Amino acid sequence: MTEITPEIVAEHGLSPEEYDRIVAAIGREPNLVELGIFSVMWSEHCSYKSSRLHLKKLPTEAPWVICGPGENAGVIDIGDGQAAIFKMESHNHPSYIEPYQGAATGVGGILRDVFTMGARPVANMNALRFGRPDHPKMRHLIAGVVAGIGGYGNCVGVPTVGGETNFHRAYDGNILVNAMTVGVADADRIFYSAATGVGNPIVYVGSKTGRDGIHGATMASADFDEDSEEKRPTVQVGDPFTEKLLIEACLELMATDAIVAIQDMGAAGLTSSSVEMATNGGVGIRLDMDKVPCREEGMTPYEMMLSESQERMLMVLKPGKEEMAKAIFEKWELDFAVIGEVTEGGHMVLTFEGETVCDIPLGPLADEAPEYDRPYVETPRPAPLEDEPDSKDVMADLEAMMGSPALASRRWIWQQYDSQVGANTVQKPGGDAAVVRVHGTTKALGITTDCTPRYCFADPREGGKQAIAETYRNLSAVGARPLAVTNCLNFANPQRPEIMGQFVGCLEGMGEACRALDYPIVSGNVSLYNETRLDDGSSMAILPTPAIGGVGLLDDWEKSASLAFKAADEQIFLVGETPHHLGQSVFLKEVHGREEGPPPPVDLELERRHGEFVRTAIGEGLVSAVHDISDGGLLVALAEMALAGGMGADLHLERLNARNRAAMLFGEDQARYVVTTTDPDALRKSAKENGIALEPLGTTRDDGQITLDGNDSIALDRLRAAHEGFFPTLMEGEL
Amino acid sequence: MKSAVIVFPGSNCDRDMASAIESVSGRAPEMVWHRDSDLPAGVDFIAIPGGFSYGDYLRSGAMAARSPIIAVVREAAERGTPVLGVCNGFQILTETGLLPGALMRNKSMHFTCRDAALRVENARSVFTHGYDEGETIHVPVAHHDGNYQTDADVLDRIEGEGQVAFRYLDDINGSARGIAGILNAKGNVLGMMPHPERAIEKAHGNMDGRRLFEGLFEKVF
């Protein structure tokens, strides 16, 4: 038997103190299998040891929450006996090393988290952060990630309905790939992971286990260095075809009453799935490793327990249901093996070739895993902008911004995703939020992902609030009542107090916003150590990126709004205060190369009131087009509406009396929307009754121009060329 | 009146096709599994839906074309039963030889999902008589291998015999002569890359696909 040396302990990513803790917990030295199991369960990825303390402070409850964090995904009530099940998860490190497979298996993993709970997946989203567009590796990474997301999602037949993409040099060495899945299930047929019933069979289904992905969770819990590409063998390889079969087979079995508990094998594979099932059920587990279906010969229990081969699930069945279940999986040509049973006593026991190769108490693996209160320093508040540049040529600046990496059309990306399979996609990518009809009903789900990392970097607390508020606004802009969020918290090394300070700050802001908006967090994922050690010994940390996925409900999909101008001669209004805040704006960055100042403050009370006003106006048919104002500010929002509708606008903002035109046109003040209406009197009346600021901005025109105050103007064709040109030029232009 | 939708492992538009058929005809189709060696008795219309049958491994449509059920579909087609293949279904029909040509990787090399404007080239078939000849319709596409190719003689022949049913108005995928959908010589087998089942009802944003099914069911049932 391999002797456990300090080197082996270090290779498993465990500190000497953590090793001592293992020895104390089991009362002896662990063997290699046991050490491997502890190492993945205690990895940052599985144990949340640096984040758990702070995650506990997030609001997770509301009357419509059926299941909050702790299960495979969050579950909310959407009425009529139905539930929406959703979660977002990261696959950052694998996607940097091998972008196609890394992104593809990220999609596969999050899909499994959702259908494990009994839901048919109905929509995928993704939140991507890349480095500088002209970084020598970036084109390869973008192309691979987009093809991987499409390759997997398109094949399994789940529409990819939206997402977001940012660029910043902080992601040059550590891109972020966050994938979100939303599913729909009957509220009384949700499946959980708690194993119960001593003697019940434990069943393995799906693909065979191979040697791929061993130590993936450990890799995901360490900094990157320049040699990271040598870790390519730890990246898993996905097979969306098998996943599609697995979805159908699981849903078919779930329609029977055979399943006691079910869990997908994600990070840390068979180890985490079996430990979580046993721990959640308060039971023990015995697995016969000779029965695990293996892809390769000669695999050891260590390899089987740590493999992250994809498209596998673990289930506890009711006794006597094995044959019926097996017939379903054989129909779908998937492996099916009874590999163990539920036991008493709270231990995990593994046998192989007649010997016990692992016998450890489950408590220390999960519930009693290390939890750290990492020291942190609060991020200093940024100083106000000293000088606020004005715009010398408003339309030239608009054109530059609309064609910039920050704001250019993402069509090149989303056209590679099947956004319509399922035939329920009411609003496709390119709008504020996707709208997906709940099959067979008039209801629809609004879905969005948002985060503004440059705000979070400048002021984590305001940035955290803003990320939540922007999802709330995007859902409101399509007419969906925001119900709950999932999050994917991407940060750098938590052992650095300033990074931990970013984490704590963002979470405080998120928590405050969720409480103020009655908008709980029901699931999520934490990805730490997103930083790259450079040759000179310094370290490049990503911007703090708490990506938020918001889900809302429309009672009637026909009462959803979209951003496109609908017809000429409609009145355009601003909902919200006259803007003035230029700090951390796209204008400042793209036109003046400055990333400075505080981000716009978020007034949560205004967010709520304006959101409610806009949703009501949509429901009552008072508005014809709605768009939230975010990156780029007011004029960018108007330009996006004009381009989407192929319809110009005659704008008159003289009255607003701005001290600085750039701040008025490009300031990113929060809680604002642009709406159009054919009934301005009714809209004014409603705004007045509700005390909502409503400013007339002008009129839609079918002249193919955006004209401002009668002097400045730009042709839509010209704006469109800039807006649509960026990605094709970047991705398909000559090198 | 009875419809059948063939389901292969990896089909993923089977449920959408079934919804479309039910929405237009009022009657749900029979779902027929790839390993079956018989069609349900009295089937008047067979749909082969889109997706990634057998994961598109080997070549899109190649494995499905050799599955047990396809032998029966071929016999039905030869007897004159209308057979519609959409997207992967079109790829399967070319792989079986029921339709000429092949669907190659898109010229862009990318998967492409977008609305496509189509010209109706033949409005005389059982599938297309609900349209006007030369009419422009809009039907979404979503495919990686939609680039229709065959040799010039075959192209001339199918053009000459009115077998080209639909043609793209824009170059979407590099297809020879912009071909989006073709009929067999008898006119009872249609393969098309665009998805008519995604343009059935108001929620889809356009209903041009519905007229294909309406016309078909009017003739068949």
Side-chain angles (χ1 to χ4, degrees):
Chain A
M1 184 167 285
T2 315
E3 196 199 341
I4 306 299
T5 63
E7 291 73 35
I8 292 179
V9 171
E11 278 166 18
H12 282 77
L14 290 163
S15 68
E17 296 74 36
E18 286 171 340
Y19 182 71
D20 291 344
R21 196 167 164 163
I22 293 171
V23 174
I26 65 174
R28 60 178 166 80
E29 301 270 329
N31 64 31
L32 190 62
V33 176
E34 292 166 337
L35 183 75
I37 289 171
F38 269 103
S39 76
V40 293
M41 288 309 296
W42 284 12
S43 70
E44 190 68 59
H45 194 80
C46 293
S47 72
Y48 296 87
K49 58 190 169 192
S50 304
S51 58
R52 234 175 343 165
L53 191 66
H54 302 283
L55 294 173
K56 286 176 192 163
K57 300 177 202 156
L58 293 171
T60 60
E61 289 176 356
W64 54 88
V65 174
I66 296 174
C67 174
E71 278 289 339
N72 285 294
V75 185
I76 56 170
D77 191 337
I78 56 168
D80 311 313
Q82 291 181 307
I85 303 186
F86 58 97
K87 188 182 179 185
M88 178 154 42
E89 212 166 64
S90 63
H91 231 212
N92 303 334
H93 290 171
S95 299
Y96 184 78
I97 297 170
E98 213 300 275
Y100 185 96
Q101 291 297 342
T105 52
V107 175
I110 195 62
L111 279 164
R112 281 194 299 285
D113 276 331
V114 166
F115 74 75
T116 296
M117 297 197 72
R120 179 172 283 280
V122 299
N124 282 333
M125 302 281 287
N126 54 79
L128 312 177
R129 321 282 162 189
F130 295 108
R132 286 166 293 176
D134 57 358
H135 184 280
K137 257 190 193 158
M138 220 41 66
R139 186 154 133 168
H140 157 74
L141 291 171
I142 297 166
V145 165
V146 171
I149 290 171
Y152 209 100
N154 298 345
C155 182
V156 296
V158 177
T160 301
V161 294
E164 56 171 341
T165 305
N166 289 162
F167 296 91
H168 194 280
R169 63 187 301 271
Y171 306 105
D172 278 355
N174 194 133
I175 62 172
L176 303 183
V177 174
N178 297 171
M180 173 176 173
T181 294
V182 182
V184 173
D186 288 339
D188 61 353
R189 295 203 63 81
I190 291 165
F191 292 81
Y192 296 97
S193 61
T196 54
V198 171
N200 279 346
I202 292 173
V203 174
Y204 169 119
V205 298
S207 286
K208 289 180 168 46
T209 297
R211 290 192 168 100
D212 49 334
I214 290 175
H215 285 311
T218 316
M219 175 184 78
S221 305
D223 284 356
F224 257 23
D225 55 38
E226 303 278 305
D227 305 325
S228 292
E229 294 191 7
E230 288 171 16
K231 292 180 178 164
R232 192 168 291 141
T234 60
V235 178
Q236 314 88 320
V237 175
D239 177 7
F241 173 56
T242 301
E243 179 107 333
K244 169 68 175 161
L245 304 183
L246 194 57
I247 293 174
E248 298 304 330
C250 286
L251 291 177
E252 193 171 327
L253 182 60
M254 285 164 168
T256 72
D257 65 344
I259 298 175
V260 174
I262 180 164
Q263 169 91 17
D264 79 301
M265 296 192 218
L270 189 50
T271 294
S272 73
S273 56
S274 56
V275 169
E276 282 168 23
M277 290 179 83
T279 304
N280 290 348
V283 295
I285 193 165
R286 185 191 61 73
L287 300 179
D288 179 353
M289 303 309 287
D290 298 294
K291 301 223 170 102
V292 174
C294 287
R295 196 189 302 153
E296 300 167 52
E297 282 184 17
M299 285 187 64
T300 64
Y302 177 89
E303 291 169 326
M304 291 179 219
M305 290 307 286
L306 268 56
S307 162
E308 290 191 2
S309 291
Q310 298 290 292
E311 294 94 24
R312 303 179 299 160
M313 310 281 268
L314 200 62
M315 303 187 290
V316 177
L317 293 183
K318 291 182 184 163
K321 299 290 185 184
E322 296 92 325
E323 285 310 309
M324 183 268 289
K326 188 175 178 187
I328 291 174
F329 283 86
E330 283 184 347
K331 171 188 161 191
W332 291 99
E333 302 179 28
L334 294 165
D335 270 289
F336 177 100
V338 177
I339 63 166
E341 62 176 356
V342 177
T343 60
E344 282 182 283
H347 272 237
M348 168 183 249
V349 177
L350 308 178
T351 59
F352 184 63
E353 295 178 342
E355 287 183 23
T356 297
V357 294
C358 163
D359 183 350
I360 43 184
L362 285 158
L365 277 180
D367 290 348
E368 299 154 34
E371 177 177 292
Y372 299 129
D373 186 359
R374 303 263 191 215
Y376 65 90
V377 292
E378 216 172 292
T379 309
R381 301 298 281 268
L385 273 187
E386 285 199 359
D387 64 305
E388 295 193 341
D390 205 336
S391 179
K392 293 192 185 71
D393 182 340
V394 164
M395 291 305 173
D397 288 347
L398 175 67
E399 186 182 353
M401 288 166 66
M402 291 295 283
S404 72
L407 297 175
S409 165
R410 272 65 175 140
R411 185 186 306 275
W412 184 90
I413 294 178
W414 52 253
Q415 221 166 48
Q416 295 186 50
Y417 305 146
D418 188 339
S419 55
Q420 296 167 48
V421 61
N424 286 309
T425 307
V426 176
Q427 275 202 43
K428 294 168 211 159
D432 283 328
V435 177
V436 178
R437 184 178 54 172
V438 178
H439 192 76
T441 74
T442 60
K443 286 184 300 196
L445 298 173
I447 311 168
T448 181
T449 69
D450 295 289
C451 176
T452 313
R454 62 182 190 279
Y455 294 174
C456 295
F457 181 73
D459 184 338
R461 194 183 171 97
E462 285 302 316
K465 277 160 69 176
Q466 195 273 342
I468 297 286
E470 189 169 349
T471 65
Y472 183 89
R473 215 154 54 223
N474 278 326
L475 293 174
S476 297
V478 298
R481 195 161 70 251
L483 289 179
V485 301
T486 182
N487 62 67
C488 190
L489 304 172
N490 308 272
F491 289 82
N493 185 340
Q495 298 182 45
R496 290 168 51 194
E498 65 276 22
I499 300 296
M500 204 57 209
Q502 294 174 345
F503 184 80
V504 173
C506 284
L507 256 66
E508 281 174 356
M510 287 164 52
E512 188 187 335
C514 289
R515 276 185 285 269
L517 299 170
D518 273 331
Y519 192 34
I521 292 177
V522 295
S523 58
N525 163 247
V526 179
S527 172
L528 300 176
Y529 298 95
N530 287 293
E531 64 181 79
T532 315
R533 279 193 300 277
L534 305 174
D535 279 339
D536 64 4
S538 68
S539 197
M540 168 75 93
I542 62 158
L543 301 183
T545 312
I548 306 298
V551 174
L553 183 66
L554 293 111
D555 296 325
D556 181 353
W557 66 263
E558 291 202 51
K559 290 186 180 155
S560 69
S562 67
L563 61 84
F565 283 153
K566 301 296 182 300
D569 304 320
E570 296 193 346
Q571 301 285 307
I572 310 169
F573 287 91
L574 168 68
V575 176
E577 313 295 331
T578 306
H580 58 81
H581 187 98
L582 269 187
Q584 297 298 335
S585 63
V586 169
F587 170 76
L588 208 55
K589 176 163 191 263
E590 297 294 339
V591 179
H592 294 276
R594 292 167 56 186
E595 292 179 62
E596 291 169 27
V602 181
D603 181 333
L604 294 163
E605 180 54 26
L606 268 191
E607 291 286 357
R608 174 196 275 282
R609 288 178 50 231
H610 292 178
E612 282 170 358
F613 172 75
V614 165
R615 294 197 300 274
T616 305
I618 294 169
E620 290 174 353
L622 285 182
V623 285
S624 43
V626 182
H627 190 16
D628 102 294
I629 301 178
S630 54
D631 281 345
L634 174 63
L635 192 57
V636 164
L638 287 159
E640 288 169 345
M641 297 173 85
L643 288 177
M647 176 85 46
D650 183 16
L651 304 171
H652 285 277
L653 308 183
E654 303 98 331
R655 257 177 331 89
L656 295 184
N657 230 346
R659 61 181 161 77
N660 174 331
R661 286 231 300 173
M664 175 184 70
L665 295 172
F666 303 124
E668 297 178 6
D669 304 63
Q670 301 291 296
R672 295 180 304 138
Y673 303 77
V674 176
V675 300
T676 60
T677 183
T678 52
D679 191 351
D681 294 340
L683 190 67
R684 275 205 190 88
K685 181 163 172 276
S686 173
K688 195 168 178 196
E689 282 168 6
N690 291 288
I692 304 288
L694 190 72
E695 280 292 341
L697 300 176
T699 313
T700 56
R701 287 274 190 259
D702 56 4
D703 61 358
Q705 307 259 350
I706 295 180
T707 307
L708 180 61
D709 298 340
N711 352 316
D712 302 303
S713 75
I714 187 165
L716 287 187
D717 287 345
R718 186 170 173 153
L719 262 188
R720 191 185 307 281
H723 190 52
E724 295 290 347
F726 170 78
F727 264 96
T729 305
L730 172 68
M731 299 307 296
E732 284 158 21
E734 293 291 319
L735 284 175
Chain B
M1 47 167 270
K2 194 184 273 185
S3 310
V5 175
I6 312 295
V7 184
F8 297 98
S11 294
N12 65 27
C13 303
D14 47 331
R15 292 162 9 106
D16 304 351
M17 182 64 83
S19 295
I21 291 171
E22 185 171 0
S23 161
V24 178
S25 73
R27 185 168 165 185
E30 304 259 352
M31 307 304 279
V32 180
W33 186 234
H34 69 123
R35 280 202 214 140
D36 291 354
S37 46
D38 274 314
L39 288 164
V43 163
D44 316 283
F45 163 58
I46 300 166
I48 308 180
F52 290 68
S53 58
Y54 304 91
D56 268 3
Y57 294 134
L58 185 59
R59 200 169 60 232
S60 48
M63 309 236 265
R66 282 140 190 93
S67 64
I69 194 65
I70 280 295
V72 195
V73 172
R74 179 196 302 276
E75 286 168 22
E78 281 161 4
R79 283 196 306 272
T81 306
V83 177
L84 170 67
V86 172
C87 199
N88 190 226
F90 186 12
Q91 295 158 348
I92 294 167
L93 288 172
T94 59
E95 285 285 344
T96 59
L98 280 168
L99 292 173
L103 282 311
M104 315 276 288
R105 186 125 293 196
N106 294 347
K107 193 173 69 177
S108 67
M109 304 305 281
H110 297 307
F111 188 98
T112 299
C113 176
R114 52 173 287 191
D115 263 350
L118 307 177
R119 186 164 63 235
V120 179
E121 296 288 354
N122 172 340
R124 300 177 305 282
S125 77
V126 67
F127 299 101
T128 56
H129 73 98
Y131 301 113
D132 297 326
E133 208 137 288
E135 181 185 354
T136 298
I137 60 171
H138 292 266
V139 184
V141 297
H143 57 244
H144 211 162
D145 298 324
N147 177 359
Y148 182 79
Q149 296 296 335
T150 184
D151 58 57
D153 290 349
V154 175
L155 284 172
D156 288 343
R157 176 167 57 77
I158 61 176
E159 295 265 17
E161 295 180 7
Q163 285 177 245
V164 175
F166 303 108
R167 207 186 302 273
Y168 301 112
L169 292 187
D170 306 315
D171 182 9
I172 288 210
N173 50 30
S175 287
R177 301 188 191 174
I179 289 173
I182 55 170
L183 295 153
N184 66 347
K186 270 166 52 183
N188 70 312
V189 178
L190 171 66
M192 60 191 294
M193 290 312 297
H195 287 268
E197 80 280 10
R198 296 185 185 183
I200 296 292
E201 43 178 324
K202 207 174 155 195
H204 297 156
N206 119 45
M207 293 168 65
D208 284 352
R210 186 176 189 93
R211 289 157 62 200
L212 184 149
F213 293 96
E214 283 170 348
L216 173 71
F217 296 153
E218 187 188 305
K219 287 268 187 196
V220 173
F221 298 146

